[in-house]
Amino acid sequence: MLACMMHGLFTLLLVHLLASLCQYAHGSEIIHGRKVPDGKMPYMVSLQNNNNAHVCGGFLISEEFVLTAAHCDKATHVVLGTHNLKKVDNNTRKQIVMKCQYPSYESPKFGHDIMLLKLSQKASLNKKVKLIKLSGNQKLKDNQNCSVAGWGFTVSGGKVVSELQEVHVPIINRKVCDKEWQKFKVKLPENVICAGGYKTKSGFCQGDSGGPLVCGGMAVGIVSFNLKGNCQYPNLPNIYTDIKKYVPWIKKTLKKKQCV
């Protein structure tokens, strides 16, 4: 009897431990999104680990480089050219040979959450694999409708899905965003964009990291963080790295083909 009780207690503790770990685990989770039609986002990239498990999102900006979040540094290879992660083969998978985090990066809460990944070989551009342009001077307007996409959970705490999901999110005024985060004693870093997760039930969830915030057909931001993985929106604005602030660094890295 005692053995059974101990076994039951161990099982319960294990379940709680796994639940806690999953709350902070990488995985792309889009809240209140919809399936992306095949070929609509040919720039989307799945960052994966040695176990071929999806850990982050990313996007193709040149034949040799993928742009993502700096905290997605556990990835070992990428998958291109498919919206369905069940349809992956050697033609869609490429190794990462160089990871270039922004030099000032420490952690997402301090900003500069941006990284370039150099691929082992050039991507073959076609209908399923294309580049996305980066915004250099696009001025975003409050409540402007943009989109974010990723693979994984469709509800917080739900089940992983293999097909790419997309959701539309509004741009949130930076002063409003700062004020809302200050209620939780969090000072946001410079060079970030706020979008979704606030006064809307739509947004990304913990682990959607590295995916692009797309406005007007251009990548303007990179999924960085929300509050402690809480995706029960609306609560607080989602935070993205503002790409336009890093365009000179990106161009220099692509030109030299090495970390700068």
Side-chain angles (χ1 to χ4, degrees):
M1 181 70 175
L2 180 59
C4 290
M5 291 177 63
M6 291 299 292
H7 177 72
L9 179 60
F10 175 77
T11 301
L12 183 62
L13 289 173
L14 181 60
V15 169
H16 280 289
L17 175 61
L18 290 174
S20 298
L21 289 174
C22 287
Q23 183 179 2
Y24 297 97
H26 288 303
S28 291
E29 305 169 1
I30 292 294
I31 304 301
H32 294 120
R34 60 185 180 182
K35 178 184 173 183
V36 177
D38 289 341
K40 181 184 177 183
M41 296 181 176
Y43 51 81
M44 284 298 296
V45 175
S46 168
L47 274 57
Q48 304 194 346
N49 60 23
N50 282 322
N51 296 320
N52 295 329
H54 174 84
V55 294
C56 275
F59 44 108
L60 196 65
I61 62 168
S62 81
E63 293 178 40
E64 293 181 274
F65 282 90
V66 167
L67 193 59
T68 186
H71 72 265
C72 294
D73 58 347
K74 302 301 182 185
T76 59
H77 61 276
V78 306
V79 170
L80 310 169
T82 181
H83 287 356
N84 188 339
L85 297 184
K86 289 183 178 179
K87 297 179 180 179
V88 176
D89 55 36
N90 290 332
N91 293 324
T92 58
R93 185 182 291 111
K94 294 189 183 297
Q95 295 298 312
I96 297 169
V97 295
M98 186 168 62
K99 301 175 184 179
C100 300
Q101 292 178 325
Y102 190 75
S104 302
Y105 172 75
E106 294 181 24
S107 74
K109 67 179 181 180
F110 296 125
H112 309 305
D113 192 10
I114 184 170
M115 177 169 63
L116 282 162
L117 304 175
K118 188 175 187 297
L119 306 180
S120 57
Q121 59 185 122
K122 289 185 178 181
S124 299
L125 303 183
N126 51 51
K127 291 182 179 180
K128 294 184 177 180
V129 180
K130 293 183 180 180
L131 311 181
I132 185 171
K133 292 183 179 180
L134 304 182
S135 173
N137 53 13
Q138 183 179 0
K139 293 184 179 180
L140 300 177
K141 299 179 180 179
D142 295 350
N143 298 314
Q144 181 175 338
N145 195 33
C146 300
S147 67
V148 61
W151 289 268
F153 295 176
T154 54
V155 295
S156 184
K159 295 182 179 181
V160 174
V161 297
S162 59
E163 296 178 298
L164 186 65
Q165 303 286 313
E166 174 192 21
V167 70
H168 293 285
V169 292
I171 297 296
I172 298 169
N173 178 275
R174 179 59 195 262
K175 291 183 179 179
V176 171
C177 187
D178 284 336
K179 184 178 180 180
E180 290 302 314
W181 275 90
Q182 285 171 3
K183 292 177 182 178
F184 292 84
K185 299 181 179 180
V186 175
K187 179 177 174 56
L188 293 177
E190 296 297 323
N191 303 339
V192 297
I193 297 171
C194 304
Y198 174 71
K199 292 189 176 181
T200 173
K201 293 183 178 180
S202 301
F204 65 73
C205 195
Q206 187 70 15
D208 230 346
S209 307
L213 176 66
V214 178
C215 304
M218 293 190 293
V220 303
I222 302 170
V223 175
S224 185
F225 65 90
N226 61 4
L227 184 66
K228 297 180 180 179
N230 182 0
C231 310
Q232 299 301 319
Y233 301 134
N235 58 358
L236 275 178
N238 291 167
I239 306 302
Y240 299 78
T241 302
D242 188 350
I243 290 175
K244 71 176 181 289
K245 303 294 184 179
Y246 301 92
V247 168
W249 171 76
I250 293 170
K251 288 183 176 179
K252 189 174 182 180
T253 304
L254 267 58
K255 183 179 180 179
K256 291 184 175 293
K257 297 185 179 181
Q258 63 182 20
C259 301
V260 295

